[in-house]
Amino acid sequence: VGCDRSKNLVDICGEKHFQAFVCDALSVPIRSGSCDACISIAVIHHFSTAERRLATIQELARLLRPGGTALIYVWAMEQEYKNQKSKYLKEKNGSKNEDKEMNTGTAQRPLSDQGPDNSSQDSAWSDQLLKDLKDESHGAKPVADFRLPVHTNRTSFHSQDLLVPWHLKGGTKKKEENVDTVLVLGGSKESQELSPVFHRYYHVFCEGELEAVCRSLDCVRVQKSYYDQGNWCVILEKL
């Protein structure tokens, strides 16, 4: 049985006759100790605090029966490991234009500085959040300290906490257009609209970090910890 926060993805599972439901990884509505195995792939790196990441692993452990195992994959800070580039770095498209966009993109740019539409709802919300954070700290820290860098896809990571652009499927970037917008295909030029590029939060894990978090729990034992194509991975056993 599978679960996800996205109703659309869960609906796709249903269409393929798989059992799946919508839920939060911090609170899975399954009986404690009822699972032989649990798999968490590319989930925990989306939680924004160390406390939440630990709580997610605790929730996985809760679901397992004694002797049950869990497999966890998270994105690695080290996309080049032992002189080998990850599949993520290697998968650059052959288009010169796309390579240029990747190389001259928005790496390390503050979210609120991107694009011409800083009056958008998301940017306004982001700016207000930064203002509130500054007010709470009584101006002790500059606002810029709270801004997350935006990653350039298919490049190495320069920060553990960042935003990764997600381009809408079926859209192509308009020439001379900012990375925040993509051109929706189909229809006349007049009817074509620009759609936003969504930014997803990631905490990419350094070597040993995921294993250390898992070892901090008394109820599980780390069976194996390894690197796999740009991911840090652990296999846990419930004690």
Side-chain angles (χ1 to χ4, degrees), residues 183-194:
L183 189 63
V184 176
L185 298 178
S188 65
K189 289 183 179 179
E190 291 77 14
S191 67
Q192 286 177 340
E193 297 178 357
L194 292 173

Side-chain angles (χ1 to χ4, degrees), residues 10-208:
V10 168
D11 286 345
I12 292 171
C13 290
E15 291 167 5
K16 295 178 181 292
H17 307 292
F18 294 122
Q19 296 184 76
F21 56 89
V22 176
C23 81
D24 190 315
L26 289 168
S27 181
V28 181
I30 292 179
R31 213 168 52 245
S32 298
S34 62
C35 298
D36 295 313
C38 294
I39 300 174
S40 173
I41 306 293
V43 173
I44 295 173
H45 55 217
H46 288 300
F47 286 94
S48 60
T49 66
E51 290 79 13
R52 280 173 169 266
R53 294 189 286 271
L54 174 62
T56 309
I57 298 171
Q58 285 178 315
E59 182 69 350
L60 272 182
R62 179 188 69 79
L63 302 175
L64 291 171
R65 64 166 175 78
T69 56
L71 171 66
I72 300 172
Y73 266 60
V74 295
W75 218 350
M77 177 84 171
E78 301 85 355
Q79 289 297 306
E80 190 165 342
Y81 187 67
K82 294 184 178 179
N83 297 320
Q84 293 288 323
K85 287 186 177 181
S86 69
K87 187 177 180 182
Y88 172 72
L89 292 184
K90 290 178 181 178
E91 280 186 349
K92 284 193 177 184
N93 292 319
S95 165
K96 291 182 180 178
N97 288 336
E98 291 192 12
D99 283 343
K100 182 179 179 183
E101 288 163 358
M102 291 172 191
N103 294 331
T104 60
T106 58
Q108 312 308 311
R109 289 174 55 194
L111 177 59
S112 59
D113 289 347
Q114 294 176 46
D117 188 18
N118 274 350
S119 62
S120 70
Q121 183 177 355
D122 287 346
S123 293
W125 178 88
S126 178
D127 290 341
Q128 183 60 45
L129 175 61
L130 296 174
K131 181 179 181 298
D132 293 343
L133 288 170
K134 185 179 180 183
D135 290 343
E136 288 177 11
S137 64
H138 306 292
K141 292 184 179 180
V143 173
D145 285 358
F146 295 104
R147 297 185 182 183
L148 291 172
V150 176
H151 178 63
T152 298
N153 284 323
R154 308 300 175 187
T155 64
S156 298
F157 296 116
H158 302 288
S159 171
Q160 278 196 271
D161 296 280
L162 41 78
L163 299 173
V164 177
W166 174 263
H167 298 267
L168 293 178
K169 188 176 182 181
T172 58
K173 232 180 289 181
K174 187 178 179 182
K175 280 189 176 180
E176 308 302 327
E177 196 60 65
N178 185 273
V179 73
D180 286 338
T181 55
V182 292
L183 189 63
V184 176
L185 298 178
S188 65
K189 289 183 179 179
E190 291 77 14
S191 67
Q192 286 177 340
E193 297 178 357
L194 292 173
S195 297
V197 174
F198 295 97
H199 293 86
R200 298 176 297 169
Y201 170 83
Y202 280 80
H203 171 84
V204 290
F205 282 68
C206 288
E207 183 172 8

